[in-house]
Structures are given as structure tokens and as C-alpha cells.
Amino acid sequence: MESNNRAIYWVPYVLWIALFVVAPILLIVYYSFQGLDGEFTLANYRNFFTPVYLTMTLSSFWYAFLITLFCLLIAYPAAYFITRSKYKQLLLLLIILPSWVNLLLKAYAFLGIFSTYGAANSFLEVVGIGAKQLLFTDFSFVFVSVYLFIPFMILPIFNALDKLNPALVYASRDLGASSWTTFRKVVMPLTSSGVKAGIQAVFIPALSLFMITRLIAGNRVITLGTAIEQHFLVTQDWGMGATIAVFLILIMVVIMIATGTRKKGVM
């Protein structure tokens, strides 16, 4: 009787997964085998392995890697500082608050900041460098993307660092290990789960960016997400757009498996 009652609680969860996860994926797979006239075809999959789409895939990986790398380089020291600060809750709130602002509003704000007469060029003029073309460049795209994603890297790393037993660090130092050795041998391995979670939270959505590429990069940066948007909304080639989406989902699954936490059995 009790097991039947427990099974009831699974019904909403299973329905949610079936309707909003499984069904959309099956629909995408179905459309990926359709041509422009709705006929069954494998041409979309053959086209994906042409130089155009393979180059686009490599470009998406490269920009996602850069965004994730810069987020990690900034987030780990920031998270470490927050765990040691007595204003921990306030600093966390300041990091979380910008994520409450609409993404489109933040993108338009950077359009003004990086414009010819914006704050960034005004600062460059003051320090004597002179105005530069900042908007519609790779730099502006990566910079804005890092700004948008960095809270999702800081929070999991902070949680991992906050749970770290400080006695382990003190013990390492008492045994003669340097600060760098303690970080490399103790702190980093014990907080790797937070780093992996942060990489998943940043790298996976960075692969499918499309709005930022249009507004900030001026379509100079073409990613898989941009291609999907173009095929569905501009060229109306839903089959090719769905095919790219299928490969994007497969790539995301591989990344989640590669960065997942593996539990070792106890002998």
C-alpha cells in the first residue's frame, strides 16, 4: 500500500519529463529526417558533415571553450575570496542580483557601453589609448558572454569551497606543504565537483548562444545556435535546423557524461 502511494508522487514528474523533455526531442528527431517539401530524407545529416557546418561546430566549441575558461579563471578566485569574507551573504546577493535582470536588457546595455561614444571608449580616451571599435567584435562577444554566465560558474564553486573542511588545509600546511601544493593536492581535488558543475552550467548553454551573437557580435560570430535560429526563422528549412539541434543535444549529453561525477565503489 505504501509503495503504491509513493508511486503516485512520481506521476507529475514522469508526465513533465514526457511532455517537456522526451516529446520535444522526438519531435526534433522527426523533423531532422524531413526535406523542404516534407519528404523523408537523409540529406540533412549528409549536409551537416560538409565543411560549412563542421567549421561552424568547431567555431562554437572554440568560443564556448573561451567563455568557460575565462569564467573559471575569474570565478574560482572570486568564490575563494567570498568563502573567506565576513560579508559572504552580501557578496553572494550582489552576484545573483544581475541574473534577475532580463537578458535582453543587459545585452542592450552593453550596446551602449561598447558603442563609439559609450562608457568603454570614453575610458579609453581618458587613459590616452583612443577610441576603438569594440562593438561587433570577438572581444565584445566573449566579454558579454562571460559577464552573463559567470554567476553560474561562481555559485557551484562557492558551494564546494564552502563545504570544504578547513582542518584538511591546516593539516596540509602543518605537514610542510606550500600554499600551491596545498591548493593543488587538497583544495582543487576536493572542490572538483563544483568546478565540473560550473563547466556544465556555462559550456553547454555557451554552445547554443544566438541572441548575443546577433546583438553584440553583429552576426560576425556564427555558432550552432545561430544556425538553428536562421534555419527555423529565416530560411524555413526546419529539417536542417532540427538536424543541427540533434547534434547539439548529442554534444551536450557527451559533455555532461564527461564532466559528471563518478562514484567509486567501496571495496
Side-chain angles (χ1 to χ4, degrees), residues 12-261:
Y13 174 77
V14 172
L15 287 175
W16 180 274
I17 295 297
L19 291 175
F20 300 107
V21 178
V22 177
I25 291 176
L26 292 177
L27 194 60
I28 289 172
V29 173
Y30 169 74
Y31 275 114
S32 69
F33 289 104
Q34 289 191 352
L36 286 172
D37 297 324
E39 76 282 5
F40 176 84
T41 180
L42 295 175
N44 296 324
Y45 286 89
R46 288 196 297 268
N47 291 337
F48 183 84
F49 290 99
T50 58
V52 173
Y53 290 103
L54 291 179
T55 302
M56 192 183 303
T57 302
L58 291 176
S59 176
S60 297
F61 267 94
W62 172 244
Y63 284 111
F65 169 77
L66 287 179
I67 294 167
T68 305
L69 177 63
F70 286 128
C71 281
L72 181 59
L73 292 177
I74 298 171
Y76 205 103
Y80 188 85
F81 171 77
I82 294 173
T83 57
R84 298 295 183 270
S85 174
K86 61 180 180 179
Y87 304 108
K88 185 186 305 183
Q89 300 303 322
L90 175 62
L91 293 174
L92 282 177
L93 180 62
L94 292 176
I95 290 170
I96 295 172
L97 273 178
S99 64
W100 295 353
V101 180
N102 184 272
L103 178 63
L104 191 61
L105 292 177
K106 289 187 283 190
Y108 276 113
F110 275 103
L111 285 176
I113 293 172
F114 286 142
S115 64
T116 304
Y117 303 103
N121 270 317
S122 297
F123 174 76
L124 293 178
E125 291 279 4
V126 170
V127 298
I129 297 177
K132 302 291 182 180
Q133 175 59 42
L134 299 177
L135 202 58
F136 308 137
T137 61
D138 292 359
F139 165 78
S140 61
F141 170 69
V142 174
F143 185 94
V144 174
S145 299
V146 170
Y147 167 78
L148 295 175
F149 285 125
I150 201 165
F152 304 105
M153 182 69 79
I154 290 179
L155 292 177
I157 294 177
F158 167 80
N159 288 332
L161 285 169
D162 199 43
K163 294 177 182 178
L164 179 65
N165 188 351
L168 298 174
V169 178
Y170 298 146
S172 175
R173 298 304 303 274
D174 289 342
L175 291 172
S178 64
S179 299
W180 170 245
T181 302
T182 299
F183 174 78
R184 186 166 54 90
K185 296 286 189 178
V186 179
V187 178
M188 194 63 186
L190 293 177
T191 57
S192 61
S193 60
V195 174
K196 291 178 180 178
I199 290 174
Q200 287 183 0
V202 173
F203 191 90
I204 291 176
L207 274 176
S208 55
L209 282 173
F210 67 92
M211 186 180 68
I212 303 301
T213 60
R214 182 183 296 278
L215 293 176
I216 304 299
N219 277 341
R220 290 187 68 255
V221 176
I222 304 298
T223 63
L224 293 177
T226 308
I228 293 172
E229 181 204 22
Q230 290 290 318
H231 280 303
F232 273 99
L233 300 181
V234 180
T235 66
Q236 296 295 307
D237 189 354
W238 287 25
M240 195 63 228
T243 302
I244 300 172
V246 168
F247 280 100
L248 189 58
I249 292 171
L250 291 175
I251 292 169
M252 291 177 178
V253 170
V254 171
I255 293 170
M256 291 182 68
I257 294 173
T259 57
T261 302

